Amino acid sequence: MYDWLNALPKAELHLHLEGSLEPELLFALAERNRIALPWSDVEALRAAYAFNNLQEFLDLYYRGADVLRTEQDFYDLTWAYLLKCKAQNVVHVEPFFDPQTHTDRGIPFEVVMRGIKGALVDGEKQLGISHGLILAFLRHLPEEQAFKTLEQAMPFRDAFIGVGLDSSEKGFPPRLFERVFAKARSEGLHAVAHAGEEGPPEYIWEALDLLKIVRIDHGVRASEDERLMQRIIDEQIPLTVCPLSNTKLCVFEHMGQHNILDMLERGVKVTVNSDDPAYFGGYVTENFMALHEGLGMSEAQAKRLAQNSLDARLV
Ligand SMILES: [Zn+2]
């Protein structure tokens, strides 16, 4: 089954580039940039990947991202991810990057952008993987800073296709970012947002009605609100679901409880994605495999999920 799932043509629509930083590369970059790490080796770091919630993960994730300093570092990070995609027949990617994670520690915006974009362009030419990059705002920071980030990004307007919203969800509702999303949309950018991962269904309503998003990242808690479910089905709004992330961060206790296949059978346009694969135990194929093993996903269902990912592309 693994090989069959691996061979299925797929798109990945919910992936944080910083979350694809594998421990081996993290250690290599730390050495290259002469940065001291709190972990003795790769194994000790991997052992730290046991999380009880989103925040515990984020604390480690931001620590790890600190080894990314130069344009070459961002290139290498992105290129390593694209090689994984090539090996798993992921033919199109729409990854997120978090500029504020880097600009806040003094890395110039253009260093981040050039490194990532350089690898994506090479990936298109050399690996045949098409892409659309999405700039994500950190929601635990004020909207004012998101505005500043958008302004820094505008000289590179052609390098990305949309804006997203990520980081700590609870207590940071989408409505806090209504104005910056309006500004981004006025620049012709697509809007997506994380909503309904740990946060309540109300956050999904806000993301749709106030941020005017065209795709929901996670959105698994939509199933708690029947009226919302009906809207998502009627309007065929895609959900970028990340099964291994959801169980690793305890959104669901175990894969057997995950609602993705119930949603698929009800007609929701759900897709399978890896979120932060270096931290959550696998890339897209591993996420499909987890649905097969934990939920008994059939080949027919896998084909529909893969087709949904190709249909839900923004570019
Ligand atoms: Zn995410």
Side-chain angles (χ1 to χ4, degrees):
M1 188 70 172
Y2 184 93
D3 291 344
W4 185 87
L5 291 168
N6 203 53
L8 213 52
K10 302 172 277 291
E12 177 147 62
L13 309 175
H14 185 155
L15 175 285
H16 304 270
L17 285 168
E18 294 89 345
S20 71
L21 179 58
E22 291 286 347
E24 289 77 10
L25 182 58
L26 193 153
F27 269 82
L29 295 183
E31 198 177 323
R32 188 155 91 189
N33 294 324
R34 300 179 198 285
I35 298 164
L37 293 174
W39 311 281
S40 54
D41 54 28
V42 166
E43 287 318 308
L45 174 55
R46 270 195 209 286
Y49 290 2
F51 314 109
N52 292 304
N53 54 49
L54 178 60
Q55 195 56 52
E56 284 189 17
F57 155 67
L58 288 170
D59 292 343
L60 187 68
Y61 169 88
Y62 292 125
R63 184 91 203 231
D66 185 43
V67 302
L68 298 161
R69 301 279 172 98
T70 67
E71 183 177 325
Q72 187 66 45
D73 297 342
F74 287 95
Y75 184 99
D76 292 348
L77 170 75
T78 308
W79 187 252
Y81 166 62
L82 290 170
L83 290 178
K84 283 281 187 186
C85 291
K86 184 71 184 168
Q88 298 199 343
N89 206 19
V90 174
V91 298
H92 178 81
V93 294
E94 292 183 4
F96 299 113
F97 74 119
D98 291 335
Q100 288 158 293
T101 297
H102 313 299
T103 51
D104 276 10
R105 52 190 180 88
I107 313 292
F109 184 93
E110 54 268 33
V111 165
V112 180
M113 184 56 110
R114 288 209 179 98
I116 290 173
K117 191 65 185 179
L120 289 171
V121 169
D122 285 353
E124 197 135 4
K125 279 189 262 180
Q126 297 172 32
L127 306 174
I129 300 169
S130 54
H131 72 272
L133 183 61
I134 300 174
L135 183 159
F137 301 120
L138 298 180
R139 70 200 309 161
H140 67 272
L141 299 175
E143 187 185 40
E144 193 183 301
Q145 294 191 26
F147 266 112
K148 203 176 133 200
T149 301
L150 186 60
E151 199 175 300
Q152 287 173 328
M154 288 327 287
F156 304 90
R157 169 64 189 83
D158 294 342
F160 62 107
I161 61 163
V163 294
L165 189 65
D166 62 12
S167 188
S168 322
E169 186 182 11
K170 280 185 187 164
F172 301 99
R175 65 174 175 273
L176 298 174
F177 296 88
E178 189 177 354
R179 291 171 308 156
V180 74
F181 267 68
K183 171 75 177 151
R185 282 185 283 104
S186 77
E187 299 285 355
L189 291 160
H190 295 285
V192 299
H194 284 50
E197 175 190 13
E198 286 189 341
E202 290 72 40
Y203 285 18
I204 303 176
W205 284 106
E206 283 185 17
L208 291 170
D209 292 334
L210 303 180
L211 307 188
K212 306 201 187 306
I213 60 167
V214 293
R215 199 166 65 199
I216 303 163
D217 297 314
H218 291 296
V220 290
R221 290 194 60 192
S223 63
E224 295 169 25
D225 181 338
E226 185 48 36
R227 208 163 58 87
L228 178 58
M229 280 292 282
Q230 207 51 58
R231 177 174 177 188
I232 289 170
I233 294 166
D234 290 346
E235 297 181 18
Q236 286 291 287
I237 302 164
L239 264 59
T240 63
V241 180
C242 308
L244 285 173
S245 163
N246 290 155
T247 47
K248 195 87 178 172
L249 298 182
C250 310
V251 174
F252 296 96
E253 258 175 56
H254 58 83
M255 202 55 81
Q257 293 181 340
H258 206 291
N259 60 5
I260 184 171
L261 295 186
D262 292 338
M263 285 192 164
L264 179 71
E265 293 309 323
R266 282 204 57 188
V268 179
K269 207 169 193 55
V270 280
T271 62
V272 177
N273 306 270
S274 68
D275 206 4
D276 300 285
Y279 295 90
F280 299 151
Y283 290 77
V284 176
T285 302
E286 285 77 26
N287 275 273
F288 270 94
M289 195 61 194
L291 294 179
H292 174 62
E293 288 173 343
L295 283 173
M297 176 192 67
S298 67
E299 288 191 2
Q301 288 174 319
K303 274 188 191 168
R304 279 160 59 202
L305 289 164
Q307 187 59 49
N308 280 353
S309 72
L310 297 168
D311 294 345
R313 290 181 290 190
L314 292 174
V315 288

